[in-house]
Amino acid sequence: MDAKSRNYLLMNRQALERDIKTSYIMDRMISDEILTLQEEEKVKQQNTQKERAAMLINIILEKDNNSYRSFYNALLHEGYRDLAALLQDGIPAISSGNGKSSMDGMTSYVKTILCEGGVPQRPVVFVTRPKLVDAIKQKLCCLGNDPGWVTVYGMAGCGKTVLTAEALRDHQLLEDYFPGGVHWISVGKQDKAGLLIKLQNLCSRLEHDSTLSQRPPLNIEEAKDRLRLLMLRKYPRSLLILDDIWDSWVLKAFDNQCQVLITSRDRSVTDAVAGNKYEVHVESGLAHEKGLEILSLFVNMKISELPEQANCLVRECKGSPLVISLIGALLRDFPSRWEYYLKQLQNKQFKRIRKSSSYDYEALDEAMSISVEQLNDNYKDYYKDLSILPKDVKVPTKVLCILWDMETEEVEDILQEFVNKSLLFCDRNGKSFHYYLHDLQLDFLTEKNRNQLQELHKNIVNQYKKHYKLNTPVPSQEDCMYWYNFLAYHMAGANMQKELCDLMFSLDWIKAKTELVGPAHLIHEYVEYSSILDQKDSTVRENFQEFLSLNGHLLGRQPFPDIVQLGLCQPETSEVYQQAKLHAQRERGAFYLEWINKKSLKNLYRLVVRPHRDAVYHACFSKDRQRIASCGADKTLQVFKTESGERLLEINAHDDEILCCTFSADGEFVATCSADKKVKIWNSRTGQCKCVYEEHSEQVNCCQFNNGSGQYLLATCSNDTYIKLWDLNREYCRNTMIGHENSVNHCRFSPNDEYVASCSTDGTVKLWETRSANELKSIEIKDFFKNADEQPDDVEVLVKCCSWSRNGDMILVVAKNKLLLFDVKSCGLLTQVIISHHSTIQYCDFCPSDELVAVALSHCSVELWNIKSLSKVAYCRGHMSWIHCVTFSPDGSLFLTSSDDQTIRIWETKKVCKSSDAVLKSELDVVFHNGEVMILAIYNQKHLQLINGNTDSVVTQTAAQESPISCCCLSEDLKFAAFGQENGTIKVLQVLDGKVLKSRETYRTSVQHCRFTSDCQTLISSAHDPVIQVWNWQLSECVFLRGHKEAIKDFRLLENSKLLSWSFDGTVKVWNITTGNTEKDFACHGGAVLSCAVSPDGSKFSSTSADKTAKIWSFESSSVLHELKGHEACVRCCTFSPNNKLLATGDDKGEIRIWDVSTGALVHFCSPVTVDEGEPTHGGWVTDLSFSPDSKMLVSSGGYLKWWNVTTGESLQTFYTNGTNLKSIHVSPNFKVYVTVDNLGILYVLQKL
């Protein structure tokens, strides 16, 4: 052994002797032919674990380099990763000329690579099929260094897996072509949730020696990205083997420009992926000679010595390696029963499961039945227990230890008996064994034990409960993932309604499971097992399903949100809320918030999904309402279930943003169109591309299928000014409609498919005959925008969208902020509605009932209008950004919206129409008075409301004002309120009756801020100009504070009639408000001053600026004490701690810094965590900060609210508001009540529990 390797062993000897158990390590070293049986015996004779370990190390030290490598690999695979890490640097280099081992022709290099990659070991009895093995090797060599796919395909049970594993036992192949190693993953028949589990396990395996242990990926896209990076950076030139692929969509998750070998029954499975492709066909049956060879190896006889029945047996086995192995294993135990087993097979005495074109099940049934019959009675029962294993899942030994209540060694002995008889398969995975049945064997078992399955499921659940009692498995346990993924499956199989409800309605279980695998699998289980969960009442299941459906987009992100806090935001009648409240009360020292005014907020949507990684431009329902297709800026087409959001298809469909997608009337196809100028047609079930149309010369904005079945027609329109009609049975465009003078934005078939309507940037809507493609009518929409308000030269009217009424008599058109309804026959305007003065309409859709119209607006909301009464019936808020599309389901009961915020929301039409549309502006004032929270808020632009935050009741509301209200304030004694308006007027009113006491037309621009002095007699205000007005409204006297050169940013009152103001001109001034004179003038920053704070002792103030700095100033010396550098964006807010020792500053990057006031040193950096997709901790700017009275806690507002431990700089809690962009946070003096408003106009009064 190399001196270096010896030294590493000796150096770490103590740690090794203390920790290792020798039995499994010796097993592995014996299989590597490093250790002899005599040496193993020598070790076993020692009395204690430590002495056995010491003896083993002494033996290794006397051997060569191979023994060091074998010992290192054994440590790694038996779970001693930390010990293996100690020896890693001492591993001797592997020379290419490694001697071959005498037994199997494998070098230790090959053994190491295959063992680390999880490649299955050879079966108990193995015969070579050199022709096929060489064919697989040859195709692998063909890949060269290029990404690509090798498919080994053939019928079930034909030996694909064994042959593939054998091809990899080649030193030269691995060294020359795959020096990065091989990584084997058994896939099988999977749904999305199952595939995610497989990907999580693979990523975890590949990251095993990473210094950074990452959480498992929470969705398939994230797993795909993680895998791509691992293969690119950590394992370049390695081979990924995907064993037993059933569906082409599965391969999309591995389509990462790497080299992949797959085994499958379906040779066309790689049609859906790109890259070089090679195939190897494995014949369904073994050659007769090979069948005899397997039998001869099992019974340890030469072929020539086999009895005459051997030939007949091989024929009866139809050449299947699986069936011959089953029979061979029986004959090894009962060598005299050749005639008996042959008769059993020939007489076909055993029940068939089913016929299949891909496999002759009959022979398998018979072989399986014979094999099972030969087991002793105890073992038969154990084997029967395996009937309930999920398909294509490798089960850790620990699960079966729990099932049978046995020690690991006992269980492994029983299972080895099944492995020896080819009744079970075994894989070594890290420190333990994993077991699985061939799916044909599982089919056999479930059919045979059909009447006992419920009892068997019940047994495994009871054993789980007995083992774990009231605890849940933790991620470090090898059986953890099995229970999280399949415990509900076993409970449902056992029809254990109470236990299933207890599990699925437990916040602890939901928290643990969603943290591990995300929410989609749970939502799927609520839908899947609803018939059991709803036996008494569906309400609780609906509560939990809704909770996950509406918060799933949060639960799929990092850092993982506090599920108890999310639960506390549910309605108080919800079981989720009640459990969350109990949790919060139980956890001592934890920080939780009660949303005390949430009663007024109803959740109007039933599902929120985040299928895309960028803006979602379009989404639509299938005709049966069961599926939704969506597309967007990430260039993908997604298809998912309407009920649960479970993804069915993901296609990287285009080379540029996808602007529109549409289902065909029968749901068979989905069409997409893109900025890459192409139109593509996809099979909506398999994701295969049917055809690509490339006749448009500019980006294609919209695509729409006809409404009737029988013939597939598609209309598309483009920036090239043309509308094109396509017949899916033809290769080229059927008709081109020419007539628009500018980009065509939208097109739609009439309900009877006789006409196509198109909308254009040229200001017209045109109607075309479908059959002839002739222009029928043209409506000049721009004519309806020529009025006194709009100058004749500003008449460019971009017509965005149109929608037909159900009978095709009317067409709805949207442009700018107007809805226009036209009669199709006469082209006459029937009615028009101005929807909004503040935003434009992005999209519209007619509800199939014909009375309702949904309108998507640019300010993140959707409105529903009754087109007959011309009244707004609903206002829907929830999206955080621009909405691109709104579409009704075919029956009108649902509608969906898609947005720049990457989400799609599904709404219930009836629910929405019953809701109110109260919206508050983000400017509000709060007074905490005798335990009451009184809030003055601007309601629906023109009203002022006084709200009691404790009871969520409106105390008073003013009449509508003539101009929108822009700011407001409340006197501390709650007697007076004041507000400023956009037309520059300021008014003071009496709170009790809302009567206006004084009014003053003060400014030419919108009033920005107003505040009462402590005696309530004077009102100070500022607007978008450099002057502050001090108005004694009771005496009608006014003092003007002039001195700033640019607009005032804000001001605050100091003691003794002093006022501090700061401005966009970079200066801060101190004023005497009685005389109007400047007392101090500070030239603070090169950029705008964005905020100031005054220290509690009144000696200092801080300023923050757009120049990315903050400063601390002395009032007395008028000098800067500290310049605080380090922020990488505008510093937007600041606040001193009550003990005068700390200053907190927040910036536009979402980062918070806490500084020592006396030294200017940075104490804490509070926002190091970033969440998914690169969003900062705050989802944007930090807009406001406030310390607790003891200076130990800090609350910040931004994209949401966050509480921090000032001592450690760690986050204590996050409260996710429905909207975002919180401008300020008002905090009660005892730091227990917090008030804010989000950009959706929702008010939050939060109380610390």
Side-chain angles (χ1 to χ4, degrees):
M1 186 185 292
D2 289 353
K4 181 182 172 189
S5 303
R6 283 181 67 80
N7 287 341
Y8 267 90
L9 263 178
L10 293 167
M11 209 160 55
N12 296 295
R13 181 170 190 146
Q14 268 186 316
L16 291 163
E17 287 176 1
R18 188 176 61 242
D19 289 348
I20 62 172
K21 291 180 182 171
T22 52
S23 56
Y24 284 140
I25 287 172
M26 290 196 295
D27 283 349
R28 185 166 283 281
M29 293 183 74
I30 289 167
S31 74
D32 284 347
E33 295 173 24
I34 297 297
L35 218 58
T36 66
L37 295 172
Q38 291 82 356
E39 287 166 334
E40 181 189 32
E41 201 51 46
K42 203 171 168 184
V43 172
K44 282 181 176 174
Q45 283 166 1
Q46 307 307 309
N47 296 324
T48 66
Q49 177 187 316
K50 192 172 180 182
E51 287 170 359
R52 287 193 286 275
M55 176 58 75
L56 178 61
I57 290 167
N58 287 338
I59 292 168
I60 294 168
L61 283 165
E62 291 169 12
K63 293 179 178 284
D64 62 6
N65 287 341
N66 284 337
S67 67
Y68 188 96
R69 282 191 210 100
S70 175
F71 182 53
Y72 169 78
N73 287 327
L75 289 173
L76 202 60
H77 284 272
E78 296 306 333
Y80 299 109
R81 286 185 184 151
D82 48 346
L83 295 177
L86 298 175
L87 300 184
Q88 191 167 8
D89 291 340
I91 299 172
I94 295 174
S95 67
S96 298
N98 259 338
K100 294 207 168 190
S101 66
S102 55
M103 287 284 288
D104 53 11
M106 273 205 292
T107 64
S108 55
Y109 169 77
V110 171
K111 285 181 181 174
T112 305
I113 296 288
L114 300 192
C115 189
E116 287 175 356
V119 177
Q121 294 161 358
R122 279 180 179 150
V124 180
V125 166
F126 169 73
V127 295
T128 58
R129 294 157 83 181
K131 212 169 168 184
L132 283 166
V133 171
D134 287 347
I136 296 170
K137 288 184 194 176
Q138 186 200 342
K139 298 301 182 192
L140 286 171
C141 294
C142 289
L143 287 173
N145 291 325
D146 299 325
W149 307 79
V150 174
T151 306
V152 179
Y153 70 94
M155 291 181 184
C158 68
K160 302 181 290 293
T161 301
V162 173
L163 289 165
T164 299
E166 193 57 29
L168 299 173
R169 293 185 176 93
D170 183 307
H171 186 108
Q172 211 61 49
L173 177 79
L174 297 180
E175 192 173 69
D176 293 351
Y177 290 93
F178 308 112
V182 296
H183 313 289
W184 186 290
I185 172 168
S186 301
V187 182
K189 183 86 175 148
Q190 295 296 348
D191 59 7
K192 299 281 175 186
L195 178 62
L196 180 58
I197 295 164
K198 298 279 181 189
L199 284 161
Q200 287 169 334
N201 291 340
L202 178 63
C203 290
S204 153
R205 197 167 88 198
L206 296 180
E207 288 167 343
H208 71 81
D209 58 349
S210 284
T211 46
L212 279 173
S213 179
Q214 295 197 60
R215 62 167 176 82
L218 294 176
N219 53 54
I220 288 173
E221 297 70 57
E222 190 188 341
K224 182 178 177 179
D225 282 349
R226 179 94 55 92
L227 192 56
R228 182 177 60 79
L229 287 174
L230 282 166
M231 297 302 274
L232 189 72
R233 294 178 185 170
K234 199 170 167 199
Y235 299 100
R237 294 192 66 203
S238 62
L239 178 68
L240 191 60
I241 302 108
L242 308 177
D243 186 28
D244 195 20
I245 294 289
W246 284 63
D247 302 296
S248 57
W249 63 265
V250 169
L251 294 187
K252 301 281 178 56
F254 301 93
D255 193 359
N256 271 330
Q257 293 292 298
C258 55
Q259 298 185 317
V260 187
L261 182 149
I262 65 170
T263 72
S264 178
R265 304 168 191 202
D266 177 4
R267 72 181 294 183
S268 66
V269 79
T270 55
D271 288 356
V273 290
N276 299 326
K277 292 168 193 169
Y278 305 94
E279 291 178 351
V280 178
H281 179 226
V282 179
E283 303 89 348
S284 57
L286 285 172
H288 192 78
E289 283 301 308
K290 287 288 173 191
L292 291 173
E293 192 182 336
I294 288 180
L295 284 180
S296 71
L297 287 165
F298 265 108
V299 296
N300 200 17
M301 295 165 77
K302 291 178 182 170
I303 293 179
S304 56
E305 295 169 357
L306 290 173
E308 58 192 58
Q309 291 95 335
N311 285 303
C312 303
L313 269 170
V314 170
R315 272 196 294 275
E316 288 295 331
C317 289
K318 310 286 194 301
S320 161
L322 185 63
V323 180
I324 295 172
S325 298
L326 286 165
I327 296 293
L330 290 165
L331 285 164
R332 182 180 53 201
D333 294 341
F334 303 101
S336 60
R337 293 189 180 178
W338 291 87
E339 188 63 37
Y340 171 69
Y341 293 139
L342 177 59
K343 273 191 182 143
Q344 296 276 61
L345 280 173
Q346 284 172 335
N347 295 341
K348 305 198 185 306
Q349 290 175 2
F350 299 97
K351 186 177 158 201
R352 285 160 46 183
I353 301 172
R354 52 186 162 142
K355 276 278 189 189
S356 163
S357 57
S358 72
Y359 192 74
D360 188 337
Y361 281 83
E362 205 170 300
L364 176 81
D365 288 1
E366 289 144 13
M368 282 286 295
S369 294
I370 300 167
S371 300
V372 174
E373 285 307 313
Q374 299 308 322
L375 294 170
N376 73 39
D377 289 345
N378 273 354
Y379 277 50
K380 274 184 198 167
D381 287 339
Y382 291 135
Y383 197 62
K384 187 203 295 176
D385 286 341
L386 306 183
S387 310
I388 50 158
L389 296 186
K391 264 196 177 175
D392 299 306
V393 172
K394 292 185 179 175
V395 181
T397 314
K398 180 76 186 293
V399 172
L400 298 162
C401 292
I402 291 169
L403 173 60
W404 295 330
D405 202 4
M406 290 181 184
E407 291 298 317
T408 306
E409 290 77 8
E410 290 178 273
V411 169
E412 285 174 354
D413 288 346
I414 292 168
L415 297 174
Q416 191 56 45
E417 182 72 17
F418 300 149
V419 172
N420 291 342
K421 289 184 162 46
S422 297
L423 287 168
L424 187 68
F425 295 90
C426 168
D427 249 9
R428 191 66 172 261
N429 190 336
K431 56 187 168 184
S432 76
F433 293 104
H434 281 55
Y435 297 91
Y436 60 99
L437 289 159
H438 193 293
D439 51 3
L440 303 179
Q441 293 171 319
L442 196 55
D443 285 345
F444 166 83
L445 270 178
T446 47
E447 185 63 36
K448 184 172 188 287
N449 302 308
R450 185 161 296 284
N451 298 330
Q452 294 165 273
L453 292 178
Q454 190 167 324
E455 275 309 306
L456 293 171
H457 278 294
K458 195 171 186 177
N459 183 38
I460 194 170
V461 174
N462 289 333
Q463 289 298 102
Y464 166 86
K465 285 163 67 182
K466 179 181 165 188
H467 181 83
Y468 279 107
K469 300 182 176 66
L470 296 173
N471 304 314
T472 50
V474 294
S476 58
Q477 294 166 315
E478 60 167 306
D479 59 328
C480 161
M481 291 302 280
Y482 181 87
W483 299 117
Y484 280 120
N485 286 308
F486 301 111
L487 184 56
Y489 154 79
H490 288 305
M491 287 177 172
N495 200 21
M496 297 170 83
Q497 197 260 346
K498 182 187 180 299
E499 287 83 352
L500 186 63
C501 289
D502 289 347
L503 182 80
M504 300 287 287
F505 303 153
S506 151
L507 218 50
D508 286 326
W509 180 258
I510 291 169
K511 178 181 189 295
K513 180 158 177 168
T514 47
E515 277 194 37
L516 276 174
V517 296
H521 192 252
L522 257 171
I523 298 173
H524 168 75
E525 286 180 328
Y526 284 121
V527 177
E528 182 92 357
Y529 307 134
S530 58
S531 58
I532 303 171
L533 296 169
D534 294 353
Q535 275 175 22
K536 288 179 184 166
D537 179 16
S538 65
T539 314
V540 178
R541 195 255 314 155
E542 285 165 359
N543 286 166
F544 277 91
Q545 191 175 327
E546 182 179 78
F547 170 61
L548 279 172
S549 297
L550 302 184
N551 292 289
H553 61 300
L554 294 173
L555 294 169
R557 72 201 294 175
Q558 286 291 316
F560 194 84
D562 188 323
I563 204 159
V564 173
Q565 184 58 64
L566 289 178
L568 287 169
C569 296
Q570 296 301 292
E572 289 184 13
T573 53
S574 163
E575 179 68 24
V576 180
Y577 169 81
Q578 286 158 19
Q579 277 197 39
K581 187 85 181 258
L582 284 172
H583 271 269
Q585 288 165 345
R586 269 203 317 262
E587 282 188 54
R588 289 194 173 172
F591 189 95
Y592 286 111
L593 299 141
E594 181 84 89
W595 181 5
I596 56 179
N597 69 318
K598 66 170 176 253
K599 290 186 208 72
S600 58
L601 187 81
K602 297 179 189 74
N603 258 326
L604 304 177
Y605 30 85
R606 64 189 261 172
L607 182 68
V608 184
V609 285
R610 195 176 172 196
H612 294 272
R613 293 177 293 281
D614 208 333
V616 190
Y617 291 146
H618 196 82
C620 59
F621 290 95
S622 61
K623 202 66 170 268
D624 61 4
R625 213 191 80 170
Q626 298 300 307
R627 294 176 295 156
I628 290 169
S630 65
C631 61
D634 65 0
K635 308 174 196 173
T636 68
L637 168 68
Q638 310 277 351
V639 179
F640 54 91
K641 288 182 183 174
T642 306
E643 188 68 42
S644 65
E646 187 188 350
R647 188 179 273 108
L648 301 169
L649 261 190
E650 178 184 26
I651 304 168
N652 291 316
H654 287 267
D655 302 325
D656 207 335
E657 298 184 335
I658 306 176
L659 304 176
C660 187
C661 59
T662 175
F663 273 106
S664 60
D666 59 5
E668 279 301 300
F669 298 106
V670 178
T672 54
C673 62
S674 162
D676 67 6
K677 309 175 193 174
K678 292 174 188 167
V679 177
K680 296 187 181 183
I681 314 295
W682 309 87
N683 182 310
S684 72
R685 312 271 176 198
T686 66
Q688 285 185 311
C689 187
K690 177 178 163 59
C691 46
V692 182
Y693 299 129
E694 301 188 56
E695 292 183 35
H696 282 292
S697 58
E698 300 271 349
Q699 78 171 32
V700 189
N701 295 314
C702 178
C703 55
Q704 201 77 37
F705 271 110
N706 61 330
N707 300 298
S709 49
Q711 184 186 18
Y712 294 112
L713 281 182
L714 182 75
T716 60
C717 60
S718 160
N719 281 3
D720 62 12
T721 75
Y722 304 134
I723 302 106
K724 288 182 180 285
L725 272 186
W726 313 85
D727 183 332
L728 263 55
N729 296 320
R730 297 188 192 177
E731 208 175 319
Y732 301 104
C733 167
R734 192 181 98 166
N735 290 107
T736 301
M737 301 167 179
I738 303 169
H740 282 294
E741 294 168 9
N742 209 326
S743 306
V744 189
N745 302 311
H746 194 249
C747 58
R748 276 199 181 175
F749 280 96
S750 63
N752 61 6
D753 294 332
E754 287 183 17
Y755 308 109
V756 174
S758 61
C759 308
S760 168
T761 307
D762 64 13
T764 66
V765 170
K766 292 183 187 288
L767 304 183
W768 314 79
E769 252 181 6
T770 305
R771 188 170 293 167
S772 65
N774 291 332
E775 183 180 325
L776 199 69
K777 291 173 181 176
S778 182
I779 307 170
E780 295 281 341
I781 303 296
K782 55 190 175 194
D783 291 350
F784 299 94
F785 286 86
K786 289 181 183 173
N787 56 34
D789 295 337
E790 290 214 36
Q791 298 301 314
D793 59 346
D794 182 27
V795 289
E796 188 194 30
V797 176
L798 194 153
V799 187
K800 278 274 178 79
C801 173
C802 63
S803 182
W804 294 82
S805 63
R806 187 172 47 179
N807 58 11
D809 290 350
M810 299 179 288
I811 190 163
L812 184 73
V813 178
V814 299
K816 293 199 172 182
N817 60 349
K818 278 188 185 177
L819 264 185
L820 304 124
L821 189 65
F822 293 95
D823 177 85
V824 170
K825 279 185 186 167
S826 67
C827 289
L829 181 68
L830 298 172
T831 186
Q832 62 173 314
V833 189
I834 293 174
I835 295 289
S836 165
H837 289 284
H838 297 278
S839 65
T840 57
I841 303 173
Q842 298 302 309
Y843 206 88
C844 71
D845 198 30
F846 238 128
C847 181
S849 70
D850 265 6
E851 288 198 2
L852 283 184
V853 172
V855 181
L857 299 166
S858 57
H859 67 224
C860 320
S861 66
V862 170
E863 294 179 0
L864 263 57
W865 285 72
N866 185 312
I867 205 70
K868 289 185 178 169
S869 64
L870 299 186
S871 59
K872 178 162 59 168
V873 291
Y875 176 84
C876 312
R877 51 201 175 151
H879 282 292
M880 308 245 186
S881 188
W882 194 289
I883 298 174
H884 290 285
C885 157
V886 56
T887 316
F888 280 102
S889 62
D891 61 359
S893 63
L894 304 175
F895 64 94
L896 60 77
T897 52
S898 69
S899 162
D900 262 358
D901 66 11
Q902 304 178 10
T903 67
I904 295 166
R905 289 168 195 254
I906 294 131
W907 312 71
E908 289 184 53
T909 312
K910 273 185 186 165
K911 236 188 191 181
V912 164
C913 291
K914 288 177 186 164
S915 71
S916 69
D917 62 345
V919 177
L920 303 182
K921 280 189 76 166
S922 53
E923 290 76 13
L924 48 79
D925 197 16
V926 182
V927 172
F928 299 96
H929 185 76
N930 297 335
E932 287 202 319
V933 183
M934 302 306 290
I935 301 153
L936 189 68
I938 302 160
Y939 166 76
N940 283 0
Q941 307 271 352
K942 294 190 175 181
H943 299 267
L944 210 56
Q945 274 188 352
L946 183 66
I947 301 164
N948 184 319
N950 303 64
T951 60
D952 194 25
S953 57
V954 177
V955 181
T956 57
Q957 180 175 314
T958 65
Q961 302 298 310
E962 69 286 355
S963 168
I965 301 171
S966 50
C967 63
C968 62
C969 65
L970 198 54
S971 67
E972 284 179 25
D973 59 7
L974 299 178
K975 287 181 180 174
F976 306 109
F979 60 89
Q981 294 175 259
E982 287 184 10
N983 63 3
T985 304
I986 293 178
K987 293 180 182 178
V988 178
L989 50 86
Q990 202 160 272
V991 168
L992 199 62
D993 54 9
K995 180 185 172 189
V996 174
L997 302 174
K998 283 281 172 76
S999 173
R1000 175 182 165 83
E1001 290 181 15
T1002 314
Y1003 298 98
R1004 291 178 183 169
T1005 58
S1006 177
V1007 185
Q1008 293 301 297
H1009 302 284
C1010 59
R1011 261 177 222 121
F1012 283 107
T1013 53
S1014 54
D1015 62 5
C1016 306
Q1017 293 184 10
T1018 304
L1019 187 70
I1020 303 169
S1021 62
S1022 68
H1024 269 312
D1025 67 25
V1027 181
I1028 297 170
Q1029 299 197 16
V1030 182
W1031 177 35
N1032 186 321
W1033 59 274
Q1034 291 183 333
L1035 301 175
S1036 297
E1037 291 173 356
C1038 194
V1039 175
F1040 296 92
L1041 309 183
R1042 291 190 169 92
H1044 284 295
K1045 293 185 173 61
E1046 288 183 44
I1048 306 294
K1049 180 71 177 79
D1050 205 349
F1051 57 82
R1052 66 170 285 169
L1053 281 154
L1054 306 174
E1055 290 176 352
N1056 306 323
S1057 302
K1058 302 283 194 295
L1059 180 112
L1060 186 77
S1061 69
W1062 53 97
S1063 161
F1064 286 96
D1065 63 11
T1067 66
V1068 174
K1069 296 182 190 294
V1070 178
W1071 309 83
N1072 183 317
I1073 59 172
T1074 312
T1075 64
N1077 296 330
T1078 311
E1079 296 205 344
K1080 286 187 186 292
D1081 199 341
F1082 300 85
C1084 289
H1085 294 274
V1089 181
L1090 299 178
S1091 73
C1092 285
V1094 177
S1095 63
D1097 63 8
S1099 67
K1100 306 174 192 72
F1101 77 91
S1102 60
S1103 61
T1104 72
S1105 168
D1107 66 9
K1108 305 181 187 176
T1109 66
K1111 294 179 182 179
I1112 300 175
W1113 302 81
S1114 162
F1115 277 120
E1116 194 181 340
S1117 66
S1118 300
S1119 60
V1120 65
L1121 299 173
H1122 303 291
E1123 184 172 357
L1124 311 175
K1125 291 181 176 177
H1127 283 286
E1128 295 171 12
C1130 296
V1131 190
R1132 193 153 294 274
C1133 56
C1134 58
T1135 186
F1136 282 94
S1137 62
N1139 64 8
N1140 278 303
K1141 291 180 179 177
L1142 302 171
L1143 176 77
T1145 55
D1147 67 24
D1148 286 4
K1149 204 178 167 191
E1151 295 176 349
I1152 297 165
R1153 286 169 165 76
I1154 298 175
W1155 313 84
D1156 184 309
V1157 171
S1158 59
T1159 65
L1162 180 66
V1163 180
H1164 283 300
F1165 173 57
C1166 274
S1167 294
V1169 185
T1170 54
V1171 298
D1172 286 349
E1173 317 284 336
E1175 299 167 47
T1177 321
H1178 254 296
W1181 302 350
V1182 181
T1183 55
D1184 202 1
L1185 295 160
S1186 183
F1187 277 99
S1188 60
D1190 62 4
S1191 304
K1192 289 181 179 175
M1193 284 169 72
L1194 178 74
V1195 61
S1196 60
S1197 64
Y1200 25 84
L1201 297 174
K1202 240 174 153 44
W1203 284 259
W1204 307 87
N1205 181 324
V1206 173
T1207 315
T1208 63
E1210 290 171 358
S1211 168
L1212 293 170
Q1213 188 54 272
T1214 304
F1215 185 91
Y1216 290 96
T1217 48
N1218 285 28
T1220 182
N1221 297 351
L1222 313 173
K1223 282 195 178 173
S1224 61
I1225 173 94
H1226 298 262
V1227 184
S1228 65
N1230 64 3
F1231 206 68
K1232 287 190 173 172
V1233 181
Y1234 315 87
V1235 182
T1236 190
V1237 172
D1238 65 20
N1239 65 338
L1240 303 177
I1242 298 169
L1243 176 69
Y1244 300 85
V1245 182
L1246 308 176
Q1247 187 163 23
K1248 182 178 182 290
L1249 273 175

